[in-house]
Amino acid sequence: KQEVTQIPAALSVPEGENLVLNCSFTDSAIYNLQWFRQDPGKGLTSLLLIQSSQREQTSGRLNASLDKSSGRSTLYIAASQPGDSATYLCAVSPYNTDKLIFGTGTRLQVFP
Amino acid sequence: AAGVIQSPRHLIKEKRETATLKCYPIPRHDTVYWYQQGPGQDPQFLISFYEKMQSDKGSIPDRFSAQQFSDYHSELNMSSLELGDSALYFCASSSTEGQTINYGYTFGSGTRLTVV
């Protein structure tokens, strides 16, 4: 059974710091891995999608890497801003199923 | 660009009532998914449809049913509502373009259901 874990569960940092959020999954048989952002009580905004054949994806200040063989992904946020404060979820798309398996999330707070 | 549209945004129902949630996927997306997110929890997969046929099923209670219509919109019907059904319900859509790989999921803003 696929399990997805995110570390840390919560993070509070001053503005301007570079951050690394970690995601690990137990079964490497995945199509892709996706990082989402969720503001309190709001929907899920897709940040980055990494296909299983890819090693990383970049969008602005965000960079996500994928090491499928070791079951790990990291989301790197450069020069963090208060507007980055949200919960960040990673999710994997396993083979032979439609569903996304979500991690438990990292709750990020960036203070001025 | 068009996104996944869900309605209503908020819904308050009493116990044992029925609720219907609607989802309009991104045009030309062939797969629709429903997720339930309880307070402080990660989203849990309920059910999915590919080309209007149920394609996968998760932890969806027997009191819930869903379908996808000819215009690709989907509805989640929830009967005999319980207090524990209070949650955010998300719809997502994706495109496989006929292949096994998909190109990521786009989520709607969700419907917040409160059962009182």
Side-chain angles (χ1 to χ4, degrees):
Chain A
K1 179 187 171 187
Q2 176 74 271
E3 293 184 0
V4 183
T5 306
Q6 290 185 246
I7 294 174
L11 189 59
S12 182
V13 300
E15 181 177 10
E17 280 205 2
N18 300 324
L19 310 171
V20 176
L21 308 183
N22 298 292
C23 172
S24 61
F25 47 97
T26 54
D27 189 342
S28 62
I30 62 171
Y31 285 128
N32 55 50
L33 182 145
Q34 202 163 353
W35 281 93
F36 294 90
R37 168 188 172 136
Q38 186 174 31
D39 293 285
K42 303 294 186 182
L44 298 165
T45 300
S46 179
L47 299 174
L48 290 164
L49 168 71
I50 312 176
Q51 300 292 354
S52 61
S53 58
Q54 297 174 327
R55 295 299 298 263
E56 67 176 335
Q57 284 287 332
T58 298
S59 175
R61 294 183 295 109
L62 305 179
N63 175 278
S65 67
L66 174 64
D67 184 343
K68 200 174 80 158
S69 60
S70 68
R72 293 181 182 177
S73 176
T74 60
L75 178 66
Y76 177 81
I77 304 176
S80 59
Q81 303 170 358
D84 295 331
S85 299
T87 294
Y88 290 80
L89 294 158
C90 71
V92 299
S93 179
Y95 286 162
N96 301 320
T97 178
D98 281 349
K99 59 187 175 185
L100 277 178
I101 309 295
F102 282 85
T104 46
T106 292
R107 192 169 59 255
L108 172 66
Q109 182 180 13
V110 181
F111 53 90
Chain B
V4 176
I5 306 298
Q6 290 188 246
S7 66
R9 292 294 303 275
H10 302 274
L11 191 57
I12 300 176
K13 290 285 187 178
E14 295 187 354
K15 282 193 303 184
R16 293 179 288 278
E17 284 194 319
T18 297
T20 297
L21 310 185
K22 295 185 178 182
C23 170
Y24 296 85
I26 289 176
R28 293 183 296 280
H29 275 195
D30 51 24
T31 309
V32 169
Y33 315 81
W34 286 97
Y35 286 80
Q36 177 192 59
Q37 185 179 31
Q41 298 179 0
D42 50 286
Q44 297 294 315
F45 173 75
L46 294 177
I47 195 167
S48 62
F49 293 87
Y50 170 71
E51 287 290 344
K52 294 159 279 184
M53 298 288 290
Q54 181 182 309
S55 53
D56 203 354
K57 195 172 182 180
S59 50
I60 183 170
D62 291 340
R63 299 178 289 107
F64 294 6
S65 65
Q67 57 181 325
Q68 187 177 28
F69 295 85
S70 58
D71 64 351
Y72 289 88
H73 95 273
S74 178
E75 294 184 3
L76 177 65
N77 298 293
M78 310 158 69
S79 62
S80 303
L81 287 169
E82 301 173 357
L83 296 178
D85 296 329
S86 296
L88 265 173
Y89 290 83
F90 290 109
C91 173
S93 71
S94 71
S95 172
T96 61
E97 298 185 354
Q99 304 175 47
T100 54
I101 193 169
N102 76 56
Y103 294 90
Y105 298 73
T106 302
F107 279 79
S109 299
T111 293
R112 179 173 293 283
L113 172 67
T114 303
V115 181
V116 297

